[in-house]
Amino acid sequence: MKSSAHRKELGQFLKARRAELSPRTVGLPETDRRRRVAGLRRDEVAVLAAISVDYYTRLEQGRKAPSSSVLAELVRVLHLSDDQRDRLFELAGKEAGRARRRAPQKAHPRLCTVLNELNVTPGVILGRHLDILAWNPMAATLFGTDFATVPQQQRNYVRQLFDVPAMRTLYVDWEDSARNAVAVLRQQAAACPDDRRLADLVGELSVKDDQFRQWWGGHPVVPRTGGTKVFHHPVAGELSLAWDTFTCMTDPDQQLIVWSAEPDSRTYEGLRFLSSWAAPPS
């Protein structure tokens, strides 16, 4: 921060923007008929930005210099325009620039080769923000979704978890899977605070889903890259599948996720049964 004057002006900027927003604008329930302050309360902004109320209070009072990652969260929470974002970063004495929109990813050919060789094992290739870049017929059958019919901008694993009601019953422990997905997004947000598409995704899900908003603003969780998941499939019944993550060495932003079962196990037989239902390759 350049000076105490800049910190004070930054605090005034935050306070003014907070007063312009209603709880409904940011996806919070309007339970209080008589609110003591116009717009959002400090504690509401702090929760949505995943910072402590004391930290945010000191920002508004001009007693704290925020990090770039905190500024990026405040941009999302306060629904700032690009011009407002640049002003916020300027007041904080940070290099801002425009929020980046990266070019759409394409699945790496080598990962696709491996994916297409999996005849009984469901698999998907996930990119940045857990976008679904490619999938095999078994994955489409396991999740009951022909991803080819899903618009590319909506073809996202986290969005599927929270937006598709069938996913909540397919995963026996849906909450654990959803929390882990949120943890992955938080990790990516910390690494890329200026990624506009990620900010848009987080903002949209925060408004639409109370659980997503609560977990995003809660204590950080270390994401896992493997384990066991139990599915309650409407056709094959209960499937206990080991899941593993394989990172593409030539493009670390891409990962192959597979769900497998021990040969001759009941779950493996269930996968073989599902393979007869599998659609043509994507």
Side-chain angles (χ1 to χ4, degrees):
M1 185 72 68
K2 295 179 180 179
S3 67
S4 59
H6 282 83
R7 288 197 298 268
K8 184 176 180 180
E9 191 174 354
L10 172 65
Q12 293 172 342
F13 178 91
L14 293 173
K15 186 175 181 179
R17 181 55 181 165
R18 173 167 63 86
E20 295 173 350
L21 299 175
S22 68
R24 181 177 298 177
T25 303
V26 296
L28 292 174
E30 293 186 286
T31 55
D32 297 337
R33 293 185 178 181
R34 298 179 180 178
R35 296 175 65 87
R36 295 182 179 179
V37 298
L40 298 177
R41 298 192 299 262
R42 283 176 176 172
D43 63 300
E44 292 171 332
V45 175
V47 168
L48 291 172
I51 56 179
S52 70
V53 178
D54 178 66
Y55 185 104
Y56 181 75
T57 299
R58 284 184 287 161
L59 287 181
E60 283 201 358
Q61 293 175 344
R63 298 189 293 118
K64 182 70 177 178
S67 65
S68 295
S69 60
V70 168
L71 291 173
E73 285 294 292
L74 291 174
V75 169
R76 176 184 62 80
V77 171
L78 298 176
H79 294 226
L80 300 185
S81 66
D82 286 342
D83 289 340
Q84 289 172 322
R85 176 187 184 277
D86 288 347
R87 179 58 177 161
L88 178 69
F89 273 75
E90 179 185 354
L91 291 174
K94 304 288 186 182
E95 293 292 333
R98 296 290 182 180
R100 292 184 298 166
R101 289 188 179 275
R102 299 184 180 182
Q105 276 183 295
K106 292 185 178 180
H108 195 282
R110 293 180 186 174
L111 286 186
C112 287
T113 299
V114 176
L115 179 67
N116 292 330
E117 290 296 321
L118 302 175
N119 298 319
V120 182
T121 302
V124 297
I125 298 175
L126 300 182
R128 292 188 297 268
H129 324 322
L130 299 185
D131 288 333
I132 301 173
L133 304 182
W135 61 94
N136 65 2
M138 282 297 294
T141 304
L142 174 65
F143 292 107
T145 301
D146 180 4
F147 295 111
T149 65
V150 179
Q152 186 174 358
Q153 290 296 321
Q154 306 293 317
R155 204 179 294 157
N156 179 276
Y157 178 68
V158 187
R159 193 186 297 276
Q160 292 283 310
L161 279 174
F162 284 92
D163 281 358
V164 179
M167 295 288 277
R168 297 176 184 258
T169 56
L170 176 65
Y171 280 96
V172 171
D173 192 349
W174 172 86
E175 181 174 315
D176 179 75
S177 298
R179 280 179 176 271
N180 193 60
V182 172
V184 173
L185 279 190
R186 281 186 62 92
Q187 193 176 65
Q188 294 188 7
C192 304
D194 60 345
D195 192 314
R196 186 57 181 269
R197 184 165 178 269
L198 177 56
D200 289 346
L201 174 63
V202 171
E204 179 183 341
L205 291 177
S206 295
V207 170
K208 293 169 59 177
D209 194 279
D210 292 341
Q211 286 176 296
F212 181 92
R213 181 171 63 250
Q214 177 186 351
W215 295 336
W216 185 266
H219 297 292
V221 177
V222 178
R224 301 185 305 279
T225 57
T228 302
K229 287 295 175 186
V230 180
F231 296 83
H232 184 70
H233 197 274
V235 174
E238 185 174 297
L239 301 171
S240 181
L241 298 171
W243 68 280
D244 294 279
T245 303
F246 303 93
T247 301
C248 179
M249 299 304 294
T250 55
D251 186 355
D253 282 341
Q254 295 190 32
Q255 296 177 325
L256 171 64
I257 315 295
V258 296
W259 292 265
S260 60
E262 291 291 333
D264 299 325
S265 65
R266 190 188 65 79
T267 293
Y268 184 78
E269 292 304 316
L271 289 179
R272 289 187 61 186
F273 175 70
L274 278 183
S275 68
S276 65
W277 289 64
S282 59

